Amino acid sequence: MEAPTTDPPARSELSRQDIKPPRLGLQLRLEKYFSKDKFRIALDTGTIGFFLFLIIGPLVSLVGTVIFSWNGIYTSVFDDPITGNVQWQIMGTVLGRSFEIAAIATGIDLVIGLPMAFILTRYEFRGKKLLDTLVDLPMAVPTSALGFSLYLFWGSNMGISGLFGLEQGFLSPGPILITFTHVAFTYPFIVRNLKVIFQEQSKLYEDAAKTLGAPGFTVFRTVTAPLAKEGIIAGTILAFTRSLGETGATIIVAGIFETAPMYVVALKDSLNFPSAAFLSMILILVSLVALMFLRIFSRRIGFPVSKVVPKVERALSTRPVRVARNSIGMVLFIIIVLIPAMYTIPYVIEWFAVNPFTGSTNNTVLESLFAPDNKWAWLWVSTGNSLAIAGISTGICLLFGLPMAMILVKRKWGKMKELLDALIDVPLIAPTAALGFAMYLFWGPFGLNVFQPGFWLIIMVHVAMCFPYIVRPIIAIIEKTDPELESAARTLGASSLTTFRTITLPKMKPGIIAGMIMSFTRSMGETGATIVVSGLIRTVPLLIVDWVETRDLAAAGFASVLLIAFSFIVLLLLRKTMEHS
Amino acid sequence: MPKIELLHVSKTFDEGKVVANDDVTLSIEDGAFVFLLGPSGCGKTTLLKLISGLETPTSGTILVGGIDLSKLNPEERSIGFVFQHFEIFPAMTVFENVAYGLVVRGYDDETIEKIAEEALRLVSLEGRMLAYPKELSTPELQKVGLARAIATRSKILFLDEPLGKLDPKIRKVFRHELRRLIKSLGLTAIQVTHDQEEAMAIGDQIIVMRQGKILQHGKPEDLYYRPGSIFVANFFGETNFLEGFVSGVGPDSCVFHLHLGGPKFEIKLQHGHQLKNHVQAIIGYRIEDVELIQTKQEEREPGEELDLEEKPRLNTVKGRVREAIFIGPMKRFIIDLENGDEIQAKHSSKFLIDIREGDEILVGFHENPMVFEYPKDIRAELSKA
């Protein structure tokens, strides 16, 4: 077993001296050439520049407008010669209403979402996968289709009220229906966030607490919840900002009431740009503050854990209570979220060719679509628009999102990178209508005057909206990938671009596909910002809004189902690719 | 040919907060198989990454064959690297992994096939060419990593704990195969390891690093028998350290007084030593060099000179066996000396079979111990980190 004294003579391909390294082929030569530092710096600069134009530019332009036209804003908002500060009072009212609705909706979501997240992570049962998909479903339903669906279910005489034989809808459009809509809309975001946190957390801690004699509820409160704290707070804030900024579904269910984002749209439509900019800025500032809070303070908040009330908590942990909790969580999910969100589908089937009440063809889907105003043609034109916009936006996002993800993972830029990392998420939480208006100010006739409202401005807005959806999954997958694999390729003689093509890119593929699908569905369903910048162009979600306004419910229903079907297929694809990776 | 030279190379991370390598200067001859050894986090791996270009030094110069590498990317340096976690590309077959370095160099298919097959044959993996990494066992993955690195025909090979993940028995066989392979290809190789025995068994030279600095660089025998510091002595093998002071210091000998009025040893010193009279010092004995003499049958007197045939003169101290531990071929003893020191000894189980716990014995120390000046921080020197 000791070291050999004589080494065998070398006679092999590996030590032959006559094999000369060949000339590199074109692809390898190009990759080697473009691996130079200067090209990397150029790409970084280009990506950052693009990002500045995409996100920072509109925000700066928004703030600029507010500052430069402050006198105008002051006059029209606070000191109008005729109406005085009525404008400001309205803003106060809509802001107050938006906050109220967001707070209540988030609260309800937390209460019904917590048991669901727990069921999905801590129990094993048949149909768990199906339930998991159902929980995500409202996320795949485009917002205006979701709003329409909830309106049908709660607000019209064709929904739940029929069950009780009522002539009128259960809820008339207004704040309560908006709240219901927002509950359904934000539910998947809350549950998803909580699920991830519970999944990552080892069940062993809970087991340890149980062996020490803590009843289930106490375990949750003293062990699980404190560890899940950040996720709970993050999910709450995300849901809150989502609800605060929701426009597409809200427009449909709001009736004569207005929320803050809707008021931005109204102000813009009445060409009161300074006031619209002012309100947009307030909304975006609130979201930014929430984002900052999320990033900086969520770690520091404590949970009250020290005091234990054994009797009460033991009672809360008994089997009947547990079963009741799980059942209520499940039932509420089905009644408040699932059925209302999906209600358009049975509605369209029922009203497809024949009016179920009268047996005539009045108000049916077919009649409405093929009416003389040519809805059928409009539907396909706008479907084409939606597909083209979603495709092009996703393409642009990918083009810049890839290098951006690389920058955010690989470059060592310290604080500057942290800022960039935070700014990526702005479109995730900023109210869409406000962001859309900011982009309109920046790119439109009052800013750079590059894009008029219409196709290309919609694309710019959608690129900004979808950017985080592309970048985040790619970042996640790069962070999971072992960087030493790339080092290995480099030591074997591959230039950095060759390494990227042969090693990094294949690894990133599932993340890229997931991001593209997310971005595509987001763009397909985007309503709030699109309304602001659409001009005369119509996408399918806008068509739904139009048709609800003109009371063409059957046609709106059909468009919704079309959109839902499309999004659902894409969501299934997403799950498939996730499972494969 | 590839002589590797480092001149004052330093590397810091986090804006200087973490020092990985601190003013490292070293020179490695062409064809040497060198081991980098040291506690975790001492900068061994970073040093390899600096030379191979995967990290950029904060300051200093790295030369290979007299050429400054600072302007060269890792792919232009042609240094083979076997990674600690192997880093076998998961989406490629064994053959594609091994061929990778040739493909990116633009070789034609025929040459690639010939060389890659040869490399796989050398690690006896020719039968697994079409397997995917997830189908391979850890030793096989290790072999793919090795074959992939040598297939590039680089003249320098770095190995970052290549055997660290193998179980101890396979490891002992592998290490000799590895040496044979490296020598037959005439490579200059640097291997990082945690395993002192491995380094001594197959290395031509050993470099001991600690906290980013090189403590000692030399042949295995030199490091074992002439360690430059208590840390190095403690790092290789097992050593008893005895504290005391010296008197009667001459050019090649002195008297060592064990503390607490313990016995005096006459010991030899190496020429050129720096010891002064009446200073504190530490002497060290490898545990296998401590003699145990049973006194039960033959009632010897302590201090009596034992003139055993070929053995050198022994200084003896009375002691009592606290623990006698049987560990297969060897037996380990923990002994309380009469002056309060505790020492350990390790000997073949066959002899000394009669020594049991509680026995009074004589402990013999030869006259050529390692001698060290008393360090400023004895705890730091004796820690393994």
Side-chain angles (χ1 to χ4, degrees):
Chain A
M1 295 282 270
E2 283 312 303
T5 44
T6 53
D7 297 311
R11 215 170 264 292
S12 74
E13 293 290 331
L14 290 171
S15 37
R16 261 172 66 188
Q17 294 304 310
D18 55 330
I19 305 175
K20 286 277 165 283
R23 215 173 123 76
L24 288 179
L26 183 63
Q27 186 182 22
L28 290 171
R29 209 157 61 228
L30 279 176
E31 281 171 346
K32 190 175 154 92
Y33 182 74
F34 283 107
S35 291
K36 285 180 184 166
D37 272 358
K38 60 180 176 190
F39 292 110
R40 203 199 65 218
I41 292 167
L43 183 64
D44 283 1
T45 317
T47 307
I48 304 280
F50 166 81
F51 183 70
L52 289 181
F53 266 92
L54 190 70
I55 311 270
I56 315 288
L59 292 184
V60 168
S61 138
L62 187 69
V63 175
T65 308
V66 171
I67 292 172
F68 286 118
S69 47
W70 179 247
N71 286 334
I73 292 174
Y74 185 79
T75 321
S76 76
V77 177
F78 297 100
D79 197 16
D80 192 275
I82 302 165
T83 57
N85 67 347
V86 160
Q87 193 74 266
W88 174 239
Q89 283 177 15
I90 297 175
M91 280 187 192
T93 312
V94 294
L95 275 172
R97 184 178 295 139
S98 284
F99 274 100
E100 217 170 284
I101 290 170
I104 294 172
T106 311
I108 295 175
D109 271 334
L110 262 184
V111 173
I112 62 174
L114 258 176
M116 182 57 85
F118 221 71
I119 292 171
L120 286 175
T121 48
R122 287 293 188 269
Y123 293 89
E124 284 302 328
F125 52 91
R126 275 160 66 113
K128 182 171 156 179
K129 246 187 169 166
L130 178 72
L131 183 63
D132 205 17
T133 315
L134 289 180
V135 167
D136 274 352
L137 210 53
M139 202 149 50
V141 179
T143 52
S144 61
L146 185 76
F148 179 66
S149 192
L150 267 106
Y151 166 70
L152 274 181
F153 186 75
W154 295 110
S156 79
N157 57 357
M158 288 163 274
I160 190 165
S161 67
L163 215 62
F164 301 100
L166 296 176
E167 290 287 310
Q168 297 290 305
F170 215 67
L171 301 164
S172 54
I176 299 181
L177 189 52
I178 298 177
T179 310
F180 269 81
T181 309
H182 286 200
V183 168
F185 169 65
T186 47
Y187 183 84
F189 291 97
I190 289 250
V191 175
R192 244 195 183 199
N193 259 287
L194 294 176
K195 228 176 68 187
V196 170
I197 293 295
F198 289 150
Q199 246 158 19
E200 280 174 0
Q201 195 177 322
S202 166
K203 203 170 160 290
L204 290 175
Y205 295 121
E206 290 164 23
D207 290 345
K210 277 180 199 158
T211 64
L212 294 168
F217 183 81
T218 316
V219 172
F220 177 79
R221 199 175 58 81
T222 55
V223 177
T224 315
L227 286 171
K229 173 181 81 179
E230 280 173 47
I232 295 175
I233 294 172
T236 310
I237 291 184
L238 193 68
F240 184 83
T241 51
R242 280 268 150 169
S243 167
L244 194 64
E246 212 297 314
T247 323
T250 314
I251 284 181
I252 289 173
V253 297
I256 54 163
F257 296 89
E258 271 178 329
T259 62
M262 279 175 68
Y263 199 54
V264 170
V265 178
L267 285 172
K268 189 252 161 189
D269 283 346
S270 61
L271 301 182
N272 191 345
F273 290 149
S275 301
F278 182 60
L279 189 55
S280 295
M281 196 180 77
I282 293 177
L283 280 172
I284 289 179
L285 274 181
V286 169
S287 313
L288 284 179
V289 168
L291 184 68
M292 296 275 281
F293 181 82
L294 186 65
R295 289 196 156 243
I296 299 170
F297 295 111
S298 66
R299 281 164 206 278
R300 301 186 192 160
I301 297 172
F303 261 76
V305 288
S306 51
K307 205 160 178 279
V308 174
V309 193
K311 239 183 171 168
V312 179
E313 297 192 353
R314 204 165 288 281
L316 283 172
S317 312
T318 52
R319 198 179 149 75
V321 176
R322 217 172 55 227
V323 171
R325 180 201 67 201
N326 289 349
S327 326
I328 291 172
M330 196 79 87
V331 168
L332 285 179
F333 161 67
I334 292 170
I335 295 179
I336 296 186
V337 181
L338 186 63
I339 295 178
M342 293 290 124
Y343 189 68
T344 349
I345 298 171
Y347 166 76
V348 166
I349 294 171
E350 213 179 348
W351 285 74
F352 194 72
V354 187
N355 185 326
F357 293 129
T358 60
S360 70
T361 56
N362 282 346
N363 294 327
T364 59
V365 172
L366 288 179
E367 190 217 41
S368 182
L369 278 179
F370 294 103
D373 60 353
N374 223 354
K375 290 207 180 55
W376 183 246
W378 269 105
L379 183 61
W380 291 112
V381 169
S382 56
T383 306
N385 282 340
S386 280
L387 286 174
I389 288 169
I392 296 172
S393 313
T394 302
I396 297 177
C397 273
L398 187 63
L399 202 65
F400 290 97
L402 256 182
M404 187 53 115
M406 299 297 275
I407 287 173
L408 287 177
V409 178
K410 304 251 150 126
R411 306 280 179 270
K412 302 184 174 86
W413 292 348
K415 286 267 181 278
M416 151 87 182
K417 202 178 82 179
E418 270 173 45
L419 184 69
L420 209 59
D421 195 67
L423 285 172
I424 293 271
D425 285 340
V426 167
L428 273 185
I429 57 156
T432 49
L435 197 67
F437 180 67
M439 297 195 70
Y440 168 69
L441 278 184
F442 182 65
W443 292 110
F446 303 95
L448 300 179
N449 201 7
V450 179
F451 298 119
Q452 302 306 316
F455 193 77
W456 289 102
L457 191 53
I458 297 179
I459 285 183
M460 281 315 291
V461 169
H462 284 205
V463 167
M465 296 282 173
C466 300
F467 203 55
Y469 288 90
I470 289 255
V471 176
R472 287 291 163 212
I474 298 180
I475 287 182
I477 209 154
I478 302 180
E479 275 175 346
K480 261 198 288 177
T481 311
D482 181 3
E484 294 274 337
L485 273 182
E486 288 165 26
S487 297
R490 297 297 295 280
T491 63
L492 291 169
S495 64
S496 58
L497 271 182
T498 309
T499 305
F500 181 78
R501 173 174 59 87
T502 54
I503 307 296
T504 320
L505 202 57
K507 278 252 148 204
M508 279 163 39
K509 216 162 68 188
I512 292 175
I513 293 172
M516 284 176 73
I517 292 173
M518 292 278 278
S519 151
F520 196 87
T521 33
R522 176 89 176 100
S523 172
M524 281 296 282
E526 213 296 318
T527 321
T530 316
I531 284 182
V532 178
V533 296
S534 63
L536 295 175
I537 294 279
R538 279 293 168 268
T539 61
V540 182
L542 293 193
L543 221 50
I544 296 173
V545 174
D546 287 351
W547 289 346
V548 170
E549 273 172 11
T550 57
R551 308 297 299 166
D552 290 307
L553 296 189
F558 185 76
S560 295
V561 171
L562 199 71
L563 213 46
I564 291 174
F566 206 90
S567 305
F568 188 66
I569 292 169
V570 172
L571 191 78
L572 283 184
L573 284 178
L574 174 75
R575 285 188 165 264
K576 267 260 147 21
T577 45
M578 291 306 225
E579 274 160 24
H580 275 290
S581 59
Chain B
M1 280 313 279
K3 175 182 179 182
I4 303 171
E5 288 168 287
L6 274 68
L7 303 171
H8 306 291
V9 171
S10 294
K11 172 69 180 174
T12 59
F13 291 105
D14 285 348
E15 290 148 9
K17 278 179 222 142
V18 180
V19 181
N21 292 120
D22 186 5
D23 195 24
V24 172
T25 296
L26 92 108
S27 161
I28 290 167
E29 293 304 320
D30 181 22
F33 189 9
V34 182
F35 272 77
L36 265 182
L37 207 60
S40 316
C42 70
K44 301 169 298 219
T45 301
T46 310
L47 200 63
L48 292 194
K49 290 195 167 175
L50 288 176
I51 304 172
S52 57
L54 296 171
E55 297 280 357
T56 315
T58 314
S59 62
T61 315
I62 299 168
L63 306 167
V64 169
I67 298 162
D68 184 357
L69 293 186
S70 60
K71 290 276 185 294
L72 293 180
N73 286 330
E75 66 268 22
E76 294 160 330
R77 298 192 184 192
S78 208
I79 295 177
F81 205 121
V82 179
F83 289 81
Q84 189 176 1
H85 305 288
F86 314 140
E87 310 301 342
I88 310 303
F89 305 132
M92 301 181 192
T93 61
V94 168
F95 178 83
E96 285 167 335
N97 263 283
V98 175
Y100 187 87
L102 301 162
V103 172
V104 298
R105 283 179 171 76
Y107 283 96
D108 61 277
D109 290 350
E110 196 188 337
T111 317
I112 290 173
E113 204 167 310
K114 249 198 309 196
I115 297 178
E117 276 176 13
E118 163 93 29
L120 281 166
R121 200 159 44 242
L122 284 177
V123 297
S124 32
L125 263 188
E126 61 270 38
R128 302 287 275 157
M129 268 197 298
L130 298 177
Y132 278 91
K134 60 173 181 255
E135 304 162 27
L136 299 186
S137 66
T138 310
E140 284 174 326
L141 285 172
Q142 189 271 335
K143 287 176 172 178
V144 178
L146 186 61
R148 187 176 70 174
I150 60 175
T152 60
R153 307 172 0 111
S154 305
K155 282 289 151 205
I156 299 175
L157 183 66
F158 289 172
L159 307 107
D160 188 0
E161 301 211 29
L163 309 177
K165 296 206 142 185
L166 306 183
D167 78 53
K169 276 209 164 147
I170 301 180
R171 206 177 157 130
K172 281 190 182 167
V173 180
F174 260 38
R175 66 190 191 198
H176 298 296
E177 288 179 12
L178 185 63
R179 181 184 162 89
R180 234 168 278 146
L181 183 63
I182 285 168
K183 287 293 167 187
S184 73
L185 295 173
L187 303 178
T188 307
I190 307 182
Q191 177 166 342
V192 163
T193 185
H194 266 114
D195 185 341
Q196 293 87 343
E197 196 193 312
E198 182 178 299
M200 287 192 282
I202 58 170
D204 296 332
Q205 294 165 30
I206 294 175
I207 297 171
V208 182
M209 289 186 67
R210 189 189 193 199
Q211 291 165 358
K213 288 184 196 296
I214 290 183
L215 288 186
Q216 200 167 352
H217 177 183
K219 292 197 182 110
E221 295 84 352
D222 289 343
L223 266 80
Y224 195 74
Y225 289 112
R226 283 175 288 282
S229 62
I230 293 176
F231 179 82
V232 174
N234 197 31
F235 198 71
F236 287 97
E238 293 176 278
T239 310
N240 293 298
F241 293 103
L242 299 171
E243 293 180 25
F245 67 92
V246 288
S247 66
V249 176
D252 57 3
S253 70
C254 72
V255 178
F256 183 85
H257 305 257
L258 262 70
H259 66 62
L260 293 175
K264 293 181 280 191
F265 289 178
E266 281 176 33
I267 56 173
K268 298 216 162 125
L269 294 173
Q270 285 182 40
H271 287 282
H273 68 82
Q274 302 280 316
L275 277 184
K276 293 192 181 71
N277 254 332
H278 306 296
V279 294
Q280 272 197 300
I282 286 181
I283 57 173
Y285 290 95
R286 297 290 180 193
I287 64 169
E288 67 275 14
D289 288 346
V290 174
E291 300 287 342
L292 302 180
I293 301 130
Q294 285 169 280
T295 54
K296 245 191 280 177
Q297 297 101 335
E298 311 168 28
E299 288 304 319
R300 287 180 204 274
E301 284 297 312
E304 180 192 340
E305 282 183 18
L306 288 163
D307 242 350
L308 301 171
E309 290 155 52
E310 285 149 35
K311 291 199 173 158
R313 250 165 54 103
L314 285 178
N315 300 294
T316 57
V317 185
K318 237 185 186 173
R320 175 192 289 275
V321 178
R322 170 144 46 97
E323 284 178 53
I325 305 151
F326 174 70
I327 41 170
M330 307 294 269
K331 208 165 180 181
R332 177 191 285 269
F333 302 92
I334 301 174
I335 298 149
D336 293 319
L337 294 185
E338 60 178 350
N339 69 336
D341 280 334
E342 175 200 300
I343 61 135
Q344 296 197 17
K346 188 161 106 178
H347 288 287
S348 171
S349 305
K350 277 189 211 152
F351 313 105
L352 307 174
I353 196 123
D354 297 335
I355 298 185
R356 292 171 209 291
E357 292 178 6
D359 285 357
E360 298 276 346
I361 52 165
L362 278 182
V363 184
F365 297 97
H366 61 74
E367 56 184 2
N368 280 309
M370 313 167 210
V371 184
F372 307 101
E373 286 175 62
Y374 199 85
K376 279 189 210 107
D377 186 355
I378 181 81
R379 274 165 184 277
E381 286 288 308
L382 285 176
S383 86
K384 294 261 181 191

